Amino acid sequence: MVRRGLASWVAGRTVAEVQVLHPRAVRRQPGGAADFAARLTGATFGAAQRRGKYLWVPLADSGFSMIGHLGMSGQLLVQDPSVPDETHLRVRLRFTDEGRELRFVDQRTFGGLAIEEAEPDDPEATPVSIAHIARDPLDPRFDDGVFIAALRAKRTTVKRALLDQTLISGVGNIYADESLWRAKLHYERPTATLTRPQAALLLQHARDVMNAALAVGGTSFDSLYVNVNGESGYFSRDLDAYGREGEPCRRCGTAIRRAAWMNRSSYFCPHCQRAPR
Ligand SMILES: [Zn+2]
């Protein structure tokens, strides 16, 4: 949804000028800011693409793409040139049509932009470094059958699998807990014990959770907000499990529990989501 918005703003436009206002934002570019600007100036953008927390824009007829690592706080904004600079503006692209600018804003500058070689013969010009990352389940090219088979073949537990970007992307800690609660699955359930219908249902719940989050986040009219970390814009009142320790399960009334899990937390209903034996 946001990708389509960004795509309609940048596709077919030619970069006239590149301003790097903070060198850290282009630290992944081997030649630094000068190299980044030289490779981008004069390039024409194709349609923006997204996979997991990465977003990229192909540079037409070049074999390269501009990749955006948005990190935790990065945003790509399409702004009218008259809009004052954001406090944490790091990179500005101006276009030859003198229309809306593309601005990379990042408070903590964990994210950044870089020009990277694309997979050969790939119509989406996927950057080589992220070609191994799976599509997210809202991507029209996500293959349900392939995912369900891979999930059940994997010797892991179900929450680890949901956070494994080689299997599925776009599902973070919050979305995983919400999907598992809806599917009535414990986070430690071995994926090999899931039936095909259980795996299919879990996937459907993950999609529903992501769509619900998109519906409350997403875009606004004059400032296109793109944040693909997958966990923003989700209001706590919409959550059924995550962050609800001690509160009653909305299905059965049992108090939701929180357990330490891989340096994070897992929230679950001990009644609806029975631990595997
Ligand atoms: Zn319950």
Side-chain angles (χ1 to χ4, degrees):
M1 189 185 288
V2 267
R3 173 167 53 93
R4 208 173 304 135
L6 180 69
S8 68
W9 282 110
V10 300
R13 302 178 72 197
T14 300
V15 178
E17 189 192 348
V18 179
Q19 287 180 357
V20 176
L21 304 164
H22 196 308
R24 190 170 150 77
V26 293
R27 66 190 178 283
R28 291 180 181 84
Q29 187 72 37
D35 185 36
F36 178 77
R39 286 168 174 271
L40 209 45
T41 306
T44 300
F45 280 145
Q49 309 288 332
R50 183 172 70 84
R51 197 169 297 179
K53 51 191 169 186
Y54 304 98
L55 184 145
W56 71 92
V57 191
L59 309 184
D61 305 318
S62 72
F64 288 85
S65 288
M66 181 182 80
I67 182 168
H69 300 254
L70 302 192
M72 295 298 282
S73 57
Q75 304 167 39
L76 272 169
L77 303 172
V78 180
Q79 291 284 43
D80 191 275
S82 66
V83 173
D85 288 1
E86 293 75 10
T87 309
H88 303 289
L89 179 63
R90 306 303 186 202
V91 179
R92 182 207 322 273
L93 305 186
R94 290 200 173 100
F95 295 90
T96 54
D97 57 20
E98 298 179 352
R100 285 174 182 249
E101 306 175 346
L102 189 61
R103 298 181 184 180
F104 177 69
V105 175
D106 194 349
Q107 184 179 353
R108 300 197 281 176
T109 327
F110 290 158
L113 302 175
I115 308 301
E116 206 182 286
E117 203 169 330
E119 285 283 293
D121 303 321
D122 174 8
E124 296 179 341
T126 310
V128 169
S129 68
I130 60 165
H132 65 286
I133 293 177
R135 295 175 188 279
D136 73 66
L138 302 185
D139 188 321
R141 292 211 219 171
F142 185 91
D143 189 323
D144 289 18
V146 167
F147 168 75
I148 290 165
L151 180 73
R152 297 177 66 226
K154 200 125 179 144
R155 298 199 169 272
T156 186
T157 48
V158 67
K159 187 168 170 182
R160 279 177 188 258
L162 287 176
L163 297 180
D164 179 347
Q165 296 230 330
T166 66
L167 278 178
I168 186 170
S169 63
V171 182
N173 197 43
I174 299 174
Y175 293 2
D177 281 2
E178 293 298 299
S179 306
L180 291 168
W181 181 86
R182 289 185 185 208
K184 300 185 188 177
L185 292 173
H186 191 274
Y187 57 96
E188 297 272 50
R189 175 75 177 264
T191 50
T193 68
L194 293 174
T195 65
R196 193 177 299 274
Q198 281 176 320
L201 195 60
L202 175 62
L203 174 59
Q204 187 51 52
H205 284 308
R207 256 193 198 115
D208 290 347
V209 166
M210 292 174 78
N211 275 319
L214 269 181
V216 296
T219 65
S220 64
F221 178 69
D222 59 354
S223 158
L224 197 70
Y225 176 75
V226 180
N227 185 337
V228 295
N229 72 34
E231 299 196 339
S232 69
Y234 210 7
F235 298 130
S236 55
R237 67 167 181 271
D238 301 317
L239 298 171
D240 289 310
Y242 189 87
R244 297 193 66 240
E245 182 180 18
E247 292 176 51
C249 170
R250 295 197 218 274
R251 216 163 22 215
C252 74
T254 305
I256 297 288
R257 266 189 215 160
R258 178 173 69 87
W261 184 81
M262 290 181 71
N263 298 323
R264 299 188 232 199
S265 293
S266 277
Y267 294 87
F268 65 105
C269 171
H271 177 77
C272 298
Q273 299 167 266
R274 294 288 168 91
R277 280 177 290 174

